[in-house]
Amino acid sequence: MEGIVIRDYCKEDYPQITELWAETGLLTPERNDNQQAVEDCLKIGGKFLVMIDTLTGMLIGSSLMTFAGRRLH
């Protein structure tokens, strides 16, 4: 799709991630998706993709797949 890139998350994305999650109602204390929790998830096999609008440079989407030791969720 022109103007859109999907790539792996990098830790510099986290501030924009929290803005996106806050705007969409996904940033809640129950989820405990702080930056350390995200980094820990990735270390044990999780996957985090981000969608970037290349025209504005804004992060416009995310997909965090957590790993519980047996399968991705």
Coordinates of all heavy atoms in Angstrom, one line a residue:
M1 N 0.8 -1.2 0.0 CA 0.0 0.0 0.0 C 0.9 1.2 0.0 O 1.8 1.4 0.8 CB -0.9 0.0 1.3 CG -1.9 1.1 1.3 SD -2.9 1.0 2.8 CE -3.6 -0.6 2.8
E2 N 0.6 2.1 -0.9 CA 1.5 3.3 -1.0 C 1.3 4.3 0.2 O 0.2 4.5 0.6 CB 1.1 4.1 -2.3 CG 2.0 5.2 -2.6 CD 1.7 5.9 -3.9 OE1 1.3 5.1 -4.9 OE2 1.8 7.1 -4.0
G3 N 2.4 4.7 0.7 CA 2.4 5.7 1.8 C 2.3 5.0 3.2 O 2.3 5.7 4.2
I4 N 2.2 3.7 3.2 CA 2.2 2.9 4.5 C 3.3 1.9 4.5 O 3.5 1.2 3.5 CB 0.8 2.2 4.6 CG1 -0.4 3.2 4.5 CG2 0.7 1.3 5.9 CD1 -0.5 4.1 5.7
V5 N 3.9 1.8 5.7 CA 5.0 0.8 5.9 C 4.6 0.0 7.2 O 4.3 0.6 8.2 CB 6.4 1.4 6.0 CG1 7.4 0.4 6.4 CG2 6.8 2.0 4.7
I6 N 4.8 -1.3 7.1 CA 4.6 -2.1 8.4 C 6.0 -2.7 8.6 O 6.7 -3.2 7.8 CB 3.6 -3.3 8.2 CG1 2.2 -2.7 8.0 CG2 3.6 -4.2 9.4 CD1 1.2 -3.7 7.6
R7 N 6.5 -2.4 9.9 CA 7.8 -2.8 10.2 C 7.9 -3.3 11.7 O 6.9 -3.1 12.4 CB 8.8 -1.7 10.0 CG 8.6 -0.5 10.9 CD 9.8 0.4 10.9 NE 9.5 1.7 11.5 CZ 9.5 1.9 12.8 NH1 9.6 0.9 13.7 NH2 9.2 3.1 13.3
D8 N 9.0 -3.9 12.1 CA 9.2 -4.3 13.5 C 9.3 -3.0 14.4 O 9.8 -2.0 14.0 CB 10.4 -5.1 13.6 CG 10.3 -6.5 13.1 OD1 9.2 -7.1 13.2 OD2 11.3 -7.1 12.6
Y9 N 8.7 -3.2 15.5 CA 8.8 -2.1 16.6 C 10.3 -1.9 17.0 O 11.1 -2.9 17.0 CB 8.0 -2.6 17.8 CG 8.3 -2.0 19.1 CD1 7.7 -0.8 19.5 CD2 9.2 -2.5 20.0 CE1 7.9 -0.2 20.7 CE2 9.5 -1.9 21.2 CZ 8.9 -0.8 21.5 OH 9.1 -0.2 22.7
C10 N 10.6 -0.7 17.3 CA 11.9 -0.4 18.0 C 11.5 0.5 19.2 O 10.5 1.2 19.2 CB 12.9 0.3 17.0 SG 12.4 1.9 16.4
K11 N 12.4 0.4 20.2 CA 12.0 1.1 21.5 C 11.8 2.6 21.3 O 11.1 3.2 22.1 CB 13.0 0.8 22.6 CG 14.4 1.1 22.3 CD 15.2 0.8 23.6 CE 16.5 0.1 23.2 NZ 17.3 -0.3 24.4
E12 N 12.3 3.2 20.3 CA 12.0 4.6 20.1 C 10.6 4.9 19.7 O 10.1 6.0 19.7 CB 13.0 5.2 19.0 CG 14.4 5.3 19.4 CD 15.2 3.9 19.4 OE1 14.7 3.0 18.7 OE2 16.2 3.8 20.1
D13 N 9.9 3.9 19.3 CA 8.4 4.0 18.9 C 7.5 4.1 20.1 O 6.4 4.5 20.0 CB 8.0 2.7 18.1 CG 8.6 2.6 16.8 OD1 8.9 3.6 16.1 OD2 8.9 1.4 16.4
Y14 N 8.0 3.7 21.3 CA 7.1 3.6 22.4 C 6.3 4.9 22.7 O 5.1 4.8 23.0 CB 7.8 3.1 23.7 CG 6.9 2.7 24.7 CD1 6.2 1.5 24.6 CD2 6.6 3.5 25.8 CE1 5.3 1.1 25.6 CE2 5.7 3.1 26.8 CZ 5.0 1.9 26.6 OH 4.1 1.5 27.6
P15 N 6.9 6.1 22.7 CA 6.1 7.3 23.0 C 4.9 7.4 22.0 O 3.7 7.7 22.5 CB 7.0 8.4 22.8 CG 8.4 7.8 23.1 CD 8.3 6.4 22.6
Q16 N 5.1 7.2 20.7 CA 4.0 7.2 19.8 C 3.0 6.1 20.0 O 1.8 6.3 19.8 CB 4.5 7.2 18.3 CG 5.1 8.5 17.9 CD 5.4 8.5 16.4 OE1 4.5 8.4 15.6 NE2 6.7 8.5 16.1
I17 N 3.5 4.9 20.4 CA 2.6 3.8 20.7 C 1.6 4.2 21.9 O 0.4 3.9 21.8 CB 3.4 2.6 21.2 CG1 4.2 2.0 20.0 CG2 2.5 1.5 21.8 CD1 3.4 1.3 19.0
T18 N 2.2 4.8 22.9 CA 1.3 5.1 24.0 C 0.2 6.2 23.6 O -0.9 6.1 24.1 CB 2.1 5.6 25.3 OG1 2.9 6.7 24.9 CG2 2.9 4.5 25.8
E19 N 0.6 7.1 22.8 CA -0.3 8.1 22.2 C -1.4 7.4 21.5 O -2.6 7.7 21.7 CB 0.4 9.1 21.4 CG 1.2 10.1 22.1 CD 1.9 11.1 21.1 OE1 1.3 11.4 20.1 OE2 3.1 11.5 21.4
L20 N -1.0 6.5 20.6 CA -2.0 5.8 19.8 C -3.0 5.0 20.7 O -4.2 5.0 20.5 CB -1.3 4.9 18.8 CG -2.2 3.9 17.9 CD1 -3.0 4.8 16.9 CD2 -1.3 2.9 17.2
W21 N -2.4 4.2 21.6 CA -3.2 3.4 22.5 C -4.1 4.2 23.4 O -5.3 3.9 23.6 CB -2.3 2.5 23.4 CG -1.7 1.4 22.6 CD1 -1.9 1.0 21.4 CD2 -0.6 0.5 23.1 NE1 -1.1 -0.1 21.0 CE2 -0.3 -0.4 22.1 CE3 0.1 0.5 24.3 CZ2 0.6 -1.4 22.2 CZ3 1.0 -0.5 24.4 CH2 1.3 -1.4 23.4
A22 N -3.7 5.4 23.8 CA -4.5 6.3 24.6 C -5.7 6.8 23.8 O -6.8 6.8 24.2 CB -3.7 7.5 25.2
E23 N -5.4 7.2 22.5 CA -6.5 7.7 21.6 C -7.5 6.6 21.3 O -8.7 6.9 21.1 CB -5.9 8.2 20.3 CG -5.1 9.5 20.5 CD -4.5 10.0 19.2 OE1 -4.9 9.5 18.1 OE2 -3.5 10.8 19.3
T24 N -7.1 5.4 21.3 CA -8.0 4.3 20.9 C -8.6 3.5 22.1 O -9.2 2.5 21.9 CB -7.3 3.3 20.0 OG1 -6.1 2.8 20.6 CG2 -6.9 4.0 18.6
G25 N -8.2 4.0 23.3 CA -8.8 3.3 24.5 C -8.1 2.0 24.9 O -8.6 1.3 25.8
L26 N -6.9 1.8 24.4 CA -6.2 0.6 24.7 C -5.2 0.7 25.8 O -4.6 -0.2 26.3 CB -5.4 0.0 23.4 CG -6.3 -0.5 22.3 CD1 -5.5 -0.9 21.1 CD2 -7.2 -1.7 22.8
L27 N -4.9 2.0 26.2 CA -3.9 2.2 27.2 C -4.6 2.2 28.6 O -5.1 3.3 29.0 CB -3.2 3.6 27.0 CG -2.0 3.9 27.9 CD1 -0.9 2.8 27.7 CD2 -1.5 5.3 27.6
T28 N -4.7 1.1 29.2 CA -5.3 1.0 30.5 C -4.4 0.3 31.5 O -3.5 -0.5 31.2 CB -6.6 0.1 30.4 OG1 -6.3 -1.2 30.0 CG2 -7.6 0.7 29.4
P29 N -4.5 0.7 32.8 CA -3.6 0.1 33.8 C -3.7 -1.4 33.9 O -2.7 -2.1 34.2 CB -4.1 0.7 35.1 CG -4.9 1.9 34.7 CD -5.4 1.6 33.4
E30 N -4.9 -2.0 33.6 CA -5.0 -3.5 33.7 C -4.1 -4.2 32.7 O -3.7 -5.3 32.9 CB -6.5 -3.9 33.4 CG -7.5 -3.3 34.3 CD -8.0 -1.9 33.8 OE1 -8.2 -1.7 32.6 OE2 -8.1 -1.0 34.7
R31 N -3.9 -3.6 31.6 CA -3.0 -4.2 30.5 C -1.6 -4.2 30.9 O -0.8 -5.1 30.4 CB -3.3 -3.5 29.2 CG -4.6 -3.7 28.6 CD -4.8 -3.0 27.3 NE -3.8 -3.2 26.3 CZ -3.8 -4.0 25.4 NH1 -4.8 -4.8 25.2 NH2 -2.7 -4.1 24.5
N32 N -1.1 -3.3 31.7 CA 0.3 -3.2 32.1 C 1.3 -3.3 30.9 O 2.3 -4.0 31.0 CB 0.6 -4.3 33.2 CG 1.9 -4.0 33.9 OD1 2.3 -2.8 34.0 ND2 2.6 -5.0 34.3
D33 N 1.0 -2.6 29.9 CA 1.8 -2.6 28.7 C 2.9 -1.5 28.7 O 3.0 -0.7 27.8 CB 1.0 -2.5 27.4 CG 0.2 -3.8 27.1 OD1 0.7 -4.9 27.4 OD2 -0.8 -3.7 26.5
N34 N 3.6 -1.4 29.9 CA 4.6 -0.4 29.9 C 5.8 -0.8 29.0 O 5.8 -1.9 28.5 CB 5.1 -0.1 31.4 CG 5.6 -1.4 32.0 OD1 6.5 -2.0 31.5 ND2 5.1 -1.7 33.2
Q35 N 6.8 0.1 28.8 CA 7.8 -0.2 27.9 C 8.7 -1.4 28.3 O 9.0 -2.3 27.5 CB 8.8 1.0 27.7 CG 9.8 0.8 26.6 CD 10.4 2.1 26.1 OE1 10.3 3.1 26.8 NE2 11.1 2.0 25.0
Q36 N 8.9 -1.6 29.6 CA 9.7 -2.8 30.1 C 8.9 -4.1 29.8 O 9.5 -5.1 29.4 CB 10.0 -2.7 31.6 CG 10.9 -3.8 32.1 CD 12.3 -3.8 31.3 OE1 12.9 -2.7 31.2 NE2 12.7 -4.9 30.8
A37 N 7.6 -4.1 30.0 CA 6.8 -5.3 29.7 C 6.8 -5.6 28.3 O 6.9 -6.8 27.9 CB 5.3 -5.1 30.2
V38 N 6.8 -4.6 27.4 CA 6.9 -4.9 25.9 C 8.3 -5.5 25.6 O 8.4 -6.5 24.9 CB 6.6 -3.6 25.2 CG1 7.0 -3.7 23.7 CG2 5.2 -3.1 25.3
E39 N 9.3 -4.9 26.1 CA 10.7 -5.4 25.9 C 10.8 -6.8 26.4 O 11.4 -7.6 25.7 CB 11.7 -4.5 26.5 CG 11.7 -3.0 26.0 CD 12.2 -2.8 24.6 OE1 13.0 -3.6 24.1 OE2 11.6 -1.9 23.9
D40 N 10.3 -7.1 27.6 CA 10.4 -8.4 28.1 C 9.6 -9.4 27.2 O 10.1 -10.6 27.0 CB 9.8 -8.5 29.5 CG 10.7 -7.8 30.5 OD1 11.9 -7.4 30.2 OD2 10.2 -7.5 31.7
C41 N 8.5 -9.1 26.7 CA 7.7 -9.9 25.8 C 8.5 -10.2 24.6 O 8.5 -11.4 24.1 CB 6.4 -9.2 25.5 SG 5.5 -10.0 24.2
L42 N 9.2 -9.2 24.0 CA 9.9 -9.5 22.8 C 11.1 -10.4 23.0 O 11.5 -11.2 22.2 CB 10.4 -8.1 22.2 CG 9.2 -7.2 21.8 CD1 9.8 -5.9 21.3 CD2 8.4 -7.9 20.7
K43 N 11.7 -10.3 24.2 CA 12.9 -11.1 24.5 C 12.6 -12.6 24.6 O 13.4 -13.4 24.3 CB 13.5 -10.7 25.9 CG 14.3 -9.4 25.8 CD 14.8 -9.0 27.2 CE 15.4 -7.6 27.2 NZ 15.7 -7.2 28.5
I44 N 11.3 -12.9 24.9 CA 11.0 -14.3 25.1 C 10.2 -14.8 23.8 O 9.6 -15.9 23.9 CB 10.2 -14.6 26.4 CG1 8.9 -13.9 26.4 CG2 11.1 -14.3 27.6 CD1 8.0 -14.4 27.5
G45 N 10.2 -14.1 22.8 CA 9.6 -14.6 21.5 C 8.3 -13.9 21.0 O 7.7 -14.3 20.0
G46 N 7.9 -12.8 21.7 CA 6.8 -12.1 21.2 C 7.1 -11.3 19.9 O 8.3 -11.3 19.5
K47 N 6.1 -10.7 19.3 CA 6.3 -10.0 18.1 C 5.5 -8.7 18.1 O 4.4 -8.7 18.6 CB 5.9 -10.8 16.9 CG 6.1 -10.2 15.5 CD 7.6 -10.3 15.2 CE 7.8 -9.9 13.7 NZ 9.2 -9.7 13.4
F48 N 6.1 -7.6 17.7 CA 5.4 -6.3 17.8 C 5.7 -5.6 16.4 O 6.8 -5.3 16.0 CB 6.0 -5.5 18.9 CG 5.2 -4.3 19.4 CD1 3.9 -4.0 18.8 CD2 5.6 -3.5 20.4 CE1 3.2 -3.0 19.2 CE2 4.8 -2.4 20.8 CZ 3.6 -2.2 20.3
L49 N 4.6 -5.4 15.7 CA 4.7 -4.7 14.4 C 4.0 -3.3 14.5 O 3.0 -3.2 15.3 CB 3.9 -5.5 13.3 CG 4.5 -6.9 13.1 CD1 3.5 -7.6 12.1 CD2 5.9 -6.9 12.6
V50 N 4.5 -2.4 13.8 CA 3.9 -1.0 13.8 C 3.7 -0.6 12.3 O 4.4 -1.1 11.4 CB 4.8 0.0 14.5 CG1 5.0 -0.3 16.0 CG2 6.2 0.1 13.8
M51 N 2.6 0.2 12.2 CA 2.3 0.7 10.9 C 2.6 2.2 10.8 O 2.2 2.9 11.7 CB 0.8 0.5 10.6 CG 0.3 1.0 9.2 SD -1.4 0.8 9.0 CE -1.6 -1.0 8.9
I52 N 3.4 2.6 9.8 CA 3.8 4.0 9.7 C 3.3 4.6 8.5 O 3.3 4.1 7.4 CB 5.4 4.1 9.7 CG1 6.0 3.3 10.9 CG2 5.9 5.5 9.6 CD1 5.7 3.9 12.2
D53 N 2.7 5.8 8.6 CA 2.3 6.7 7.5 C 3.6 7.3 7.0 O 4.2 8.2 7.7 CB 1.3 7.7 7.9 CG 0.9 8.6 6.8 OD1 1.6 8.8 5.8 OD2 -0.3 9.2 6.9
T54 N 4.1 6.9 5.9 CA 5.4 7.5 5.4 C 5.3 8.9 4.9 O 6.3 9.6 4.9 CB 6.0 6.6 4.2 OG1 5.0 6.6 3.1 CG2 6.2 5.2 4.7
L55 N 4.1 9.4 4.7 CA 4.0 10.8 4.3 C 4.1 11.7 5.5 O 4.6 12.8 5.3 CB 2.6 11.0 3.6 CG 2.4 10.2 2.3 CD1 1.0 10.4 1.8 CD2 3.4 10.5 1.3
T56 N 3.6 11.3 6.6 CA 3.7 12.2 7.8 C 4.7 11.7 8.8 O 5.1 12.4 9.7 CB 2.3 12.2 8.5 OG1 2.0 10.9 9.0 CG2 1.2 12.7 7.6
G57 N 5.2 10.4 8.7 CA 6.1 9.8 9.7 C 5.4 9.4 10.9 O 6.0 8.9 11.9
M58 N 4.0 9.5 11.0 CA 3.3 9.1 12.2 C 3.0 7.6 12.3 O 2.8 7.0 11.3 CB 2.0 9.9 12.2 CG 2.1 11.3 12.4 SD 0.5 12.2 12.6 CE -0.1 11.4 14.1
L59 N 3.1 7.1 13.5 CA 2.8 5.8 13.8 C 1.2 5.7 13.8 O 0.6 6.4 14.6 CB 3.4 5.3 15.1 CG 3.3 3.9 15.4 CD1 4.6 3.5 16.2 CD2 2.1 3.5 16.2
I60 N 0.6 4.9 13.0 CA -0.9 4.9 12.9 C -1.5 3.5 13.2 O -2.7 3.4 13.2 CB -1.3 5.3 11.5 CG1 -0.7 4.4 10.4 CG2 -0.9 6.8 11.3 CD1 -1.3 4.7 9.0
G61 N -0.7 2.5 13.5 CA -1.2 1.2 13.9 C -0.2 0.3 14.6 O 1.0 0.6 14.4
S62 N -0.7 -0.6 15.3 CA 0.3 -1.5 16.0 C -0.4 -2.9 16.2 O -1.6 -3.0 16.2 CB 0.7 -1.0 17.4 OG -0.5 -1.0 18.3
S63 N 0.5 -3.9 16.3 CA 0.0 -5.3 16.6 C 1.1 -5.9 17.5 O 2.2 -6.2 17.1 CB -0.1 -6.1 15.3 OG -0.5 -7.4 15.5
L64 N 0.7 -6.2 18.7 CA 1.5 -6.8 19.7 C 1.1 -8.2 19.9 O 0.0 -8.4 20.4 CB 1.5 -6.0 21.0 CG 2.3 -6.6 22.2 CD1 3.8 -6.7 21.9 CD2 2.1 -5.7 23.4
M65 N 1.9 -9.2 19.6 CA 1.6 -10.6 19.8 C 2.5 -11.1 20.9 O 3.7 -11.1 20.8 CB 1.9 -11.4 18.5 CG 0.9 -11.0 17.4 SD 1.6 -11.0 15.8 CE 2.5 -9.5 15.7
T66 N 1.9 -11.4 22.1 CA 2.6 -11.9 23.2 C 2.9 -13.4 23.2 O 2.2 -14.1 22.5 CB 1.9 -11.5 24.5 OG1 0.7 -12.2 24.6 CG2 1.7 -10.0 24.6
F67 N 3.9 -13.8 23.9 CA 4.3 -15.2 23.9 C 4.2 -15.7 25.4 O 4.8 -15.1 26.3 CB 5.8 -15.3 23.4 CG 6.2 -16.8 23.4 CD1 5.6 -17.7 22.5 CD2 7.3 -17.2 24.1 CE1 6.1 -19.0 22.5 CE2 7.8 -18.5 24.1 CZ 7.2 -19.4 23.3
A68 N 3.5 -16.7 25.6 CA 3.2 -17.2 26.9 C 4.0 -18.5 27.2 O 3.7 -19.3 28.0 CB 1.7 -17.5 27.1
G69 N 5.0 -18.8 26.4 CA 5.8 -20.0 26.5 C 5.5 -21.1 25.6 O 6.3 -22.0 25.3
R70 N 4.2 -21.1 25.1 CA 3.8 -22.2 24.2 C 3.2 -21.6 22.9 O 3.4 -22.3 21.9 CB 2.7 -23.0 24.9 CG 3.2 -23.8 26.1 CD 2.1 -24.7 26.7 NE 0.8 -24.5 26.2 CZ -0.2 -25.4 26.3 NH1 0.0 -26.5 27.0 NH2 -1.4 -25.1 25.8
R71 N 2.6 -20.5 22.9 CA 2.0 -20.0 21.7 C 1.9 -18.4 21.8 O 1.9 -17.9 22.8 CB 0.6 -20.6 21.5 CG -0.4 -20.3 22.6 CD -1.7 -20.9 22.3 NE -1.7 -22.3 22.4 CZ -2.1 -23.0 23.5 NH1 -2.4 -22.4 24.6 NH2 -2.1 -24.3 23.5
L72 N 1.8 -17.8 20.6 CA 1.6 -16.4 20.5 C 0.1 -16.1 20.7 O -0.7 -16.9 20.3 CB 2.0 -15.9 19.1 CG 3.5 -15.8 18.8 CD1 3.7 -15.5 17.4 CD2 4.2 -14.9 19.7
H73 N -0.2 -15.0 21.3 CA -1.6 -14.6 21.6 C -1.8 -13.2 20.9 O -1.0 -12.4 20.9 CB -1.9 -14.4 23.1 CG -1.7 -15.7 23.8 ND1 -2.6 -16.6 23.9 CD2 -0.6 -16.1 24.5 CE1 -2.2 -17.6 24.6 NE2 -0.9 -17.4 25.0

